[in-house]
Amino acid sequence: NAGVTQTPKFQVLKTGQSMTLQCAQDMNHNSMYWYRQDPGMGLRLIYYSASEGTTDKGEVPNGYNVSRLNKREFSLRLESAAPSQTSVYFCASSHGTSGNNEQFFGPGTRLTVL
Amino acid sequence: GIQVEQSPPDLILQEGANSTLRCNFSDSVNNLQWFHQNPWGQLINLFYIPSGTKQNGRLSATTVATERYSLLYISSSQTTDSGVYFCAVPDNTDKLIFGTGTRLQVFP
């Protein structure tokens, strides 16, 4: 039982390049989330998916797109990376049901945009 | 939206000391999570605690939902306790709102 996994662990991009961050969970969770964490700060929600087939914007969605590929996988895409997107990106998942919404986090992806 | 404040922002302890971290939130919530972010950046779930008290080894947490706060107690601290401690609560659409964290350094 791996929990929440993310790839890659590290990535360096040049301004304008694109990339996709991958996330998968094996806990049969309904809800999945993408957060970013900037130095010295807490996490901020980028996008989330309450269930397979649905996605919604979080607090800081600009510059990102997401795909809920199936129940297990939720990807985050940067179409044209900018230095302001240098951050650590975390994926999380939860059952998503009222009364049982504990979130579990992956190990993170450290992204640097030059 | 809901506001989450943590105190103190920084805490320096000698190994063996006890500490209390506080999390205040501005609106009623139906659950609350405490996390430890270790020096390698990994987020570790400590407690899922909508109300009452839970204990796990040297750590315990108490949430008083009616008064909108939660406390995390660390007893007999160890160097491995170092890192940042976050609390997080769901907003009205069940998305987690994180506090800004308490940075703990434990020295031998």
Side-chain angles (χ1 to χ4, degrees), chain B residues 9-52:
Chain B
D10 294 281
L11 193 54
I12 300 174
L13 299 175
Q14 195 157 22
E15 211 167 22
N18 303 326
S19 61
T20 301
L21 283 59
R22 187 177 180 101
C23 174
N24 292 331
F25 40 95
S26 61
D27 206 347
S28 58
V29 298
N30 57 18
N31 67 69
L32 182 144
Q33 288 189 246
W34 281 101
F35 298 91
H36 174 214
Q37 187 166 39
N38 64 23
W40 296 270
Q42 186 181 6
L43 275 166
I44 299 162
N45 287 38
L46 296 177
F47 294 101
Y48 178 75
I49 181 166
S51 63

Side-chain angles (χ1 to χ4, degrees), chain B residues 52-70:
Chain B
T53 297
K54 290 187 177 180
Q55 180 147 12
N56 185 1
R58 295 181 296 102
L59 274 60
S60 64
T62 295
T63 296
V64 184
T66 53
E67 297 187 23
R68 301 179 185 171
Y69 73 89
S70 183

